[in-house]
Amino acid sequence: MATETETPQTTDYELAQKAAQGDMGAFEELYQRHNRRVYSLCLRMTGNVSEAEDLAQEVFIQLFRKIGSFRGESAFTTWLHRLTVNQVLMHFRKRGVRMEQTTEDGETPIQIVKGTENPNAMPVVDRIALDKAIAQLPPGYRTVFTLHDIEGHEHEEIARMLGCSVGTSKSQLHKARMKLRGLLRQQNPS
Amino acid sequence: MPQAVRHTATVTRQDKGKAMNCEKCQELISDLVDGALSRHDESSLNSHLEECLDCVGVSNDLASIVSFCRAHRGEYEAPPNEQALWLRISNVITSEKAESPVNYTASPRRSFLSGLMGRSWELSLPQLSAFAAAIVVVVSLATTVGLRRWETGAPPVPPDGPQTAASPTDRAWQQQQVISYWNQRIELNKARWNPEMRETFDRNMRVIDQAVSESMNELNRNPHDEVSEQMLNDSLNDKLSLLKEFSDL
């Protein structure tokens, strides 16, 4: 039963059922509850405000079209999350965004860190710096990093979503973290 | 720099063995941070970390990135204009529903009707008589009202009913919200435009704003003027189209 986000009166599942009957008030309530979650995910996966807004709009339109098929077997948020991720991935495919794949040689080699005078030069991580750095990641790295480190998915789930192997997911995550580290150091060199 | 293992992108032959160790070590650091290392790998990694400050630095940095993300999981950012985004969404849904209602889930009224049609009715004689009498009363009432309207020449009620539609000012307000969203997007792009494009945009916008203002004034004087209402809607739609077109440039 989907009761992850509850108010004293109405659960997400109940609102979804009402929305499936054409109740726009119920659908608006669902929008109010979840638009930030959807938008944030789109923003982190695309790294672009306008794109994220357009995608969030498309997600909610798709949600309205498909809401009748939500049976409450999983949490509404999980269902909506999956819908959002799929929408962003479809968008990447339509736009021809290359999802970095790990090859034997490694497409984007990680530069082994150089010795520095101050090996602990990375500044203290903060939200603004991290978001800025995430936005600069290549789309494939950004997707895996967002799904794993920000959204908390396991590699097995990510591999299923992206249609790749668990090893590829792990490898891309490591590369994404290393690239992020480099970007954070560049933002605030000490 | 202490005499720990030095790592460079271009590795010298003498350093190659150690650099490879660092490469292997740094590959494993992500697994270490995620707690997904085998005991054996963890032990070799720790031995390397004891003598390599650079890899310790990498390990610390990745750990702080990951722990920051974990600590802030569930914090969400709001869209720049939540209300305008909702209006865009509801406008699309409303227009899609109007175009192809069959694509959407049945409305309660249709479900009720199909329920009535699909149901098998078993009525007793008194129930049947009462039902027939009710139909006769409803039909006579409807005929009487219809005849009176025809005699007095009262205008027919529009099919959508004035009481169910939003007032013109409400609709205009909603559209203004959407317009203000697109205006914000335009403002972001405007700096990139050349003077000619800016002049074209401003000229078109002046004409449309003039039309909007005239329609609003007319509606203030006469709130039931359908022509002014239509003109206001058209002008606002034109404004929206212009903003959308230019926001992509």
Side-chain angles (χ1 to χ4, degrees):
Chain A
M1 190 70 182
T3 53
E4 194 168 309
T5 308
E6 276 187 301
T7 64
Q9 287 143 0
T10 323
T11 64
D12 285 343
Y13 179 58
E14 286 163 346
L15 286 173
Q17 283 186 314
K18 285 182 186 173
Q21 293 297 314
D23 182 341
M24 280 302 279
F27 189 67
E28 185 174 1
E29 176 63 27
L30 284 173
Y31 168 81
Q32 296 298 346
R33 286 184 189 182
H34 300 291
N35 77 75
R36 291 174 182 216
R37 180 190 291 265
V38 168
Y39 171 75
S40 295
L41 181 55
C42 294
L43 181 62
R44 280 165 189 154
M45 285 179 78
T46 60
N48 179 295
V49 172
S50 299
E51 256 181 286
E53 263 197 292
D54 290 346
L55 278 166
Q57 174 180 333
E58 197 49 42
V59 167
F60 278 99
I61 291 167
Q62 284 295 330
L63 174 65
F64 191 79
R65 288 177 187 149
K66 294 181 176 175
I67 203 157
S69 66
F70 176 63
R71 302 280 170 230
E73 286 142 3
S74 59
F76 181 79
T77 47
T78 310
W79 190 71
L80 180 58
H81 187 277
R82 189 66 191 266
L83 190 72
T84 309
V85 172
N86 287 345
Q87 201 63 38
V88 179
L89 293 176
M90 266 168 55
H91 167 75
F92 283 158
R93 276 175 209 144
K94 277 186 207 159
R95 230 183 46 182
V97 170
R98 197 168 59 94
M99 305 294 279
E100 292 74 17
Q101 293 295 323
T102 307
T103 63
E104 285 300 309
D105 301 315
E107 274 191 319
T108 313
I110 300 169
Q111 190 170 323
I112 301 300
V113 289
K114 294 177 182 177
T116 57
E117 292 310 312
N118 178 4
N120 300 315
M122 195 182 82
V124 175
V125 182
D126 68 84
R127 168 59 66 202
I128 293 169
L130 186 65
D131 283 346
K132 199 175 156 193
I134 292 171
Q136 291 177 64
L137 286 176
Y141 291 178
R142 191 166 57 230
T143 300
V144 176
F145 181 81
T146 303
L147 292 175
H148 190 278
D149 283 355
I150 297 180
E151 297 293 328
H153 287 282
E154 298 296 331
H155 284 294
E156 287 73 13
E157 292 174 83
I158 297 169
R160 271 200 302 277
M161 282 183 208
L162 302 181
C164 64
S165 68
V166 170
T168 301
S169 173
K170 281 187 177 180
S171 163
Q172 297 228 44
L173 176 66
H174 176 63
K175 288 178 179 178
R177 286 171 175 171
M178 292 297 283
K179 234 179 165 51
L180 267 183
R181 175 180 186 257
L183 289 164
L184 288 167
R185 286 161 73 103
Q186 277 170 24
Q187 277 182 30
N188 193 6
S190 54
Chain B
M1 176 78 196
Q3 289 305 308
V5 183
R6 247 180 189 281
H7 315 282
T8 57
T10 52
V11 205
T12 62
R13 206 171 278 173
Q14 293 92 317
D15 287 337
K16 200 172 179 181
K18 286 181 178 178
M20 288 305 286
N21 283 339
C22 286
E23 193 173 357
K24 178 71 183 162
C25 166
Q26 289 183 18
E27 275 173 21
L28 294 175
I29 284 174
S30 266
D31 282 340
L32 179 75
V33 170
D34 292 335
L37 264 191
S38 69
R39 199 168 288 178
H40 175 260
D41 282 343
E42 193 172 340
S43 148
S44 344
L45 186 68
N46 284 333
S47 316
H48 180 84
L49 290 177
E50 275 170 18
E51 58 183 39
C52 179
L53 282 180
D54 288 334
C55 286
V56 169
V58 172
S59 175
N60 289 341
D61 289 351
L62 295 200
S64 37
I65 290 171
V66 172
S67 66
F68 181 87
C69 291
R70 282 183 189 150
H72 292 81
R73 201 167 278 165
E75 284 178 9
Y76 302 113
E77 200 174 319
N81 189 337
E82 282 176 276
Q83 185 59 22
L85 181 59
W86 165 248
L87 288 172
R88 280 162 66 191
I89 292 165
S90 62
N91 282 347
V92 173
I93 290 173
T94 310
S95 60
E96 280 189 10
K97 272 167 91 175
E99 279 167 20
S100 54
V102 285
N103 287 347
Y104 290 93
T105 319
S107 66
R109 189 184 294 176
R110 252 179 46 172
S111 303
F112 175 71
L113 198 65
S114 56
L116 280 180
M117 301 299 284
R119 191 169 162 182
S120 63
W121 294 92
E122 287 178 17
L123 300 174
S124 64
L125 195 60
Q127 280 174 327
L128 204 61
S129 330
F131 186 60
I135 288 175
V136 169
V137 170
V138 169
V139 168
S140 342
L141 276 173
T143 313
T144 314
V145 171
L147 279 172
R148 278 202 186 152
R149 274 183 175 278
W150 183 68
E151 279 164 6
T152 55
V157 180
D160 48 353
Q163 69 280 12
T164 55
S167 73
T169 43
D170 284 349
R171 280 203 299 274
W173 180 83
Q174 283 181 355
Q175 258 180 319
Q176 291 288 11
Q177 289 291 306
V178 180
I179 284 169
S180 73
Y181 163 80
W182 285 101
N183 257 329
Q184 282 175 6
R185 281 179 82 145
I186 286 278
E187 287 306 318
L188 288 174
N189 295 342
K190 226 173 179 179
R192 294 204 306 265
W193 296 353
N194 61 36
E196 277 178 25
M197 194 193 281
R198 208 169 293 155
E199 171 57 26
T200 309
F201 175 79
D202 289 342
R203 195 174 53 242
N204 280 296
M205 196 49 88
R206 273 196 300 275
V207 173
I208 293 172
D209 280 341
Q210 176 75 21
V212 170
S213 158
E214 282 170 7
S215 307
M216 292 286 265
N217 289 340
E218 198 55 47
L219 273 174
N220 282 338
R221 275 197 293 274
N222 182 6
H224 301 293
D225 182 359
E226 287 178 11
V227 178
S228 298
E229 192 188 327
Q230 184 63 44
M231 281 175 70
L232 176 64
N233 277 339
D234 289 349
S235 307
L236 289 173
N237 284 336
D238 288 344
K239 189 170 181 173
L240 198 55
S241 306
L242 183 75
L243 288 167
K244 281 181 181 174
E245 268 177 39
F246 274 79
S247 71
D248 290 329
L249 299 175

